[in-house]
């Protein structure tokens, strides 16, 4: 099989797995236990927090371990709005700004907050998928409590001007959260450089295990805990810490940061080759998203006069795993909200496919994929009532 769905998830790196293993069976203590085994686990937890803090150039106490990107996004948005907003008895509790192209972990959380009395502005994007800084500044109000804008989009890979957004947020003294889940392992995530106050990460996107992530929260920023129980994570996130997962997250981040410079260069070459060949040899196709301001591993193309799901299933039968829209949205026949936001008509959005490359992807994988793609597209077009 040729796996081209690394944006959905990645296989856990062998080195990561090896680092995690002792924490399942031997060093299995609960960091809240007072005995030696527990205290050893506590020591590992805190030294791992320190290591991750070095990678993000932040303080260890600014890191909250979570169960992944979704929980981190929920905690950031609900946590800030509920800590800073007016009480639930008020009709107008405050305002936040986000974009139309966020992952559902952010969008659905915002919709939920809107039901609880908060106003939400969803910034549009241009045809390349980038927000306008002018529109962002114009959307800021007296009662704006939070700006939440993703670092890189999970469907079209588009990268937002995060540092510039951070400068605007700082100038207006508004907390700035970024969902950096797709940028994890690819970007330099030094928080002061990005000028962010909150940042979400998820280990399974960069060869770490599933079900573990983190939320960076700048010191002094108040957030209301969303999970109540014990006093773990400095009273900000109750539940026994997932020590093997946290060890895996740290190891995966360390490996990714070491490899990223060379790996990004290699992936950009493969990505651009894939795009160039696909657009050249497949009639009636276009690239979705910005041609250069995009993740090194993301190829998203609209294939005219074809239904994306049929194309995806055919490719799967031929041994190629990719995605139509985002993995979380597939299964539903609605076209992707991201593709509609960049202005694609419904039928073109529905004919779009995302190929996301990763560490095991080779040029020969891309050549094989292109060859199969050409055949499948021409077969499907021959049968299509849309042609
Ligand atoms: N945010 C983005 C941009 C994502 O791509 C994803 C996962 O696809 C998430 C959040 C959710 O992360 P998790 O699967 O760790 O909950």
């Amino acid at each position: 099989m040729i796996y081209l769905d690394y944006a959905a998830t990645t296989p856990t790196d062998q080195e990561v797995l090896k680092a995690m293993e002792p924490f399942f069976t031997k060093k299995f203590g609960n960091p809240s236990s007072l005995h030696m085994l527990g205290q050893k686990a506590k020591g590992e937890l805190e030294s791992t927090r320190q290591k991750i803090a070095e990678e993000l150039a932040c303080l260890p106490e600014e890191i909250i371990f979570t169960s992944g990107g979704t929980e981190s996004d929920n905690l950031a948005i609900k946590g800030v709005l509920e800590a800073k907003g007016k009480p639930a008895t008020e009709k107008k509790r405050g305002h936040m700004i986000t974009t139309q192209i966020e992952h559902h972990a952010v969008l659905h959380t915002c919709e939920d907050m809107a039901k609880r009395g908060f106003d939400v502005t969803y910034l549009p994007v241009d045809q390349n998928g980038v927000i306008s800084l002018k529109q962002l500044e114009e959307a800021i109000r007296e009662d704006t409590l939070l700006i939440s804008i993703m670092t890189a989009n999970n469907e079209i890979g588009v990268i937002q001007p995060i540092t510039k957004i951070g400068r605007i947020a700082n100038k207006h003294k508004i907390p700035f959260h970024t969902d950096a889940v797709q940028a994890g392992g690819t970007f330099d995530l030094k928080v002061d450089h990005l000028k962010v106050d909150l940042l979400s990460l998820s280990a399974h996107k960069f060869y770490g295990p599933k079900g573990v992530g983190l939320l960076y929260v700048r010191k002094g920023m108040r957030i209301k805990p969303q999970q109540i129980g014990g006093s773990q994570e400095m009273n900000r996130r109750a539940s026994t810490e997932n020590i093997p997962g946290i060890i895996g997250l740290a190891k995966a981040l360390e490996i990714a940061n070491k490899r990223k410079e060379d790996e990004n260069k290699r992936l950009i070459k493969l990505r651009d080759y894939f795009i160039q060949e696909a657009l050249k040899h497949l009639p009636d196709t276009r690239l979705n998203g910005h041609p250069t301001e995009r993740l090194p591993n993301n190829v998203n193309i609209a294939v005219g006069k074809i239904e994306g799901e049929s194309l995806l299933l055919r490719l799967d039968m031929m041994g190629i795993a990719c995605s139509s829209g985002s993995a979380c949205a597939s299964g539903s026949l609605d076209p992707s909200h991201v593709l509609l936001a960049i202005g694609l008509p419904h039928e073109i959005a529905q004919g779009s496919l995302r190929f996301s490359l990763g560490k095991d992807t080779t040029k020969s994988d891309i050549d094989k994929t292109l060859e199969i793609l050409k055949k499948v597209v021409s077969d499907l077009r021959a049968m299509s009532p849309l042609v």
Side-chain angles (χ1 to χ4, degrees):
M1 183 192 55
I2 300 177
Y3 184 75
L4 293 175
D5 204 15
Y6 288 87
T9 197
T10 59
T12 304
D13 195 290
Q14 283 301 327
E15 227 185 298
V16 170
L17 202 58
K18 212 168 123 208
M20 291 170 69
E21 226 177 279
F23 294 89
F24 286 106
T25 49
K26 293 196 184 82
K27 305 181 183 178
F28 61 87
N30 182 332
S32 300
S33 300
L34 292 180
H35 50 67
M36 186 83 94
L37 202 62
Q39 288 311 294
K40 277 203 169 142
K42 174 88 182 153
E44 294 279 358
L45 173 66
E46 295 315 324
S47 65
T48 306
R49 199 188 303 277
Q50 172 75 41
K51 257 192 236 156
I52 295 179
E54 281 160 23
E55 303 282 349
L56 302 184
C58 67
L59 299 169
E61 63 268 31
E62 292 177 317
I63 289 170
I64 303 175
F65 291 117
T66 65
S67 63
T70 303
E71 186 189 336
S72 297
D73 288 343
N74 271 262
L75 181 56
I77 295 166
K78 293 180 185 168
V80 169
L81 294 191
E82 285 178 350
K84 293 183 58 168
K86 297 224 170 91
T89 45
E90 302 271 333
K91 263 213 179 102
K92 292 222 163 278
R93 299 180 67 191
H95 170 244
M96 72 164 283
I97 300 168
T98 186
T99 78
Q100 292 177 356
I101 62 163
E102 299 297 309
H103 187 272
H104 285 137
V106 166
L107 279 184
H108 288 167
T109 303
C110 292
E111 284 162 22
D112 190 43
M113 296 317 280
K115 282 189 202 138
R116 300 191 206 178
F118 292 92
D119 278 347
V120 185
T121 299
Y122 298 92
L123 293 175
V125 290
D126 64 17
Q127 60 182 19
N128 281 328
V130 185
I131 66 146
S132 141
L133 295 173
K134 185 167 169 278
Q135 279 178 341
L136 167 66
E137 203 144 15
E138 283 166 0
I140 293 174
R141 309 192 325 204
E142 281 270 291
D143 63 342
T144 305
L145 305 171
L146 178 69
I147 296 172
S148 178
I149 295 178
M150 71 200 318
T151 312
N153 183 267
N154 45 303
E155 294 187 39
I156 54 176
V158 171
I159 298 161
Q160 300 297 334
I162 293 301
T163 304
K164 289 183 183 159
I165 296 170
R167 275 202 201 103
I168 293 173
N170 282 184
K171 187 172 92 184
H172 293 270
K173 299 196 167 46
I174 300 167
F176 174 34
H177 165 246
T178 191
D179 173 342
V181 167
Q182 286 292 332
T186 302
F187 276 24
D188 192 350
L189 295 176
K190 304 265 184 295
V191 291
D192 280 342
H193 169 71
L194 293 177
K195 306 221 168 307
V196 296
D197 301 299
L198 302 109
L199 178 144
S200 305
L201 270 187
S202 178
H204 76 101
K205 304 292 185 181
F206 48 92
Y207 310 99
K210 293 173 184 55
V212 63
L214 65 82
L215 179 67
Y216 155 77
V217 183
R218 189 174 291 281
K219 196 172 175 177
M221 176 91 25
R222 272 189 311 129
I223 56 162
K224 185 167 183 252
Q226 299 299 312
Q227 195 155 289
I228 313 296
S231 59
Q232 291 92 350
E233 298 300 280
M234 287 155 280
N235 283 312
R236 293 172 302 182
R237 198 264 184 185
S239 182
T240 302
E241 297 86 349
N242 171 5
I243 304 281
I246 291 166
I247 299 282
L249 163 63
K251 191 74 192 169
L253 195 59
E254 179 197 319
I255 297 172
N257 279 346
K258 259 191 230 141
R259 287 187 188 152
K260 70 174 182 286
E261 214 178 302
D262 291 343
E263 183 60 358
N264 286 349
K265 277 190 204 142
R266 189 186 76 87
L267 287 172
I268 287 173
K269 248 195 208 161
L270 279 182
R271 174 197 75 187
D272 291 345
Y273 172 70
F274 192 154
I275 294 171
Q276 178 200 314
E277 291 298 301
L279 300 193
K280 192 156 90 190
H281 297 292
L282 296 167
D284 203 4
T285 48
R286 52 159 284 179
L287 176 70
N288 294 325
H290 200 288
T292 52
E293 289 301 305
R294 66 190 302 130
L295 288 170
N297 72 335
N298 178 288
V299 176
N300 190 312
I301 49 173
V303 186
K305 305 192 187 73
I306 280 187
E307 214 272 294
E309 301 273 316
S310 337
L311 188 49
L312 178 136
L313 295 176
R314 281 287 183 109
L315 289 173
D316 188 28
M317 275 164 24
M318 309 282 279
I320 294 166
C322 65
S323 159
S324 70
S326 77
C328 314
S330 53
S332 97
L333 282 176
D334 291 338
S336 135
H337 64 286
V338 177
L339 299 177
L340 295 182
I342 61 170
L344 292 195
H346 273 231
E347 66 281 8
I348 306 272
Q350 262 170 342
S352 293
L353 284 184
R354 177 189 73 186
F355 299 91
S356 42
L357 326 184
K359 71 180 169 84
D360 294 323
T361 313
T362 61
K363 177 160 179 295
S364 122
D365 290 337
I366 303 297
D367 283 329
K368 212 162 165 195
T369 303
L370 284 162
E371 200 182 299
I372 293 173
L373 196 54
K374 269 186 263 176
K375 182 172 179 344
V376 173
V377 167
S378 104
D379 288 355
L380 281 175
R381 281 205 179 128
M383 295 173 355
S384 170
L386 300 171
V387 182

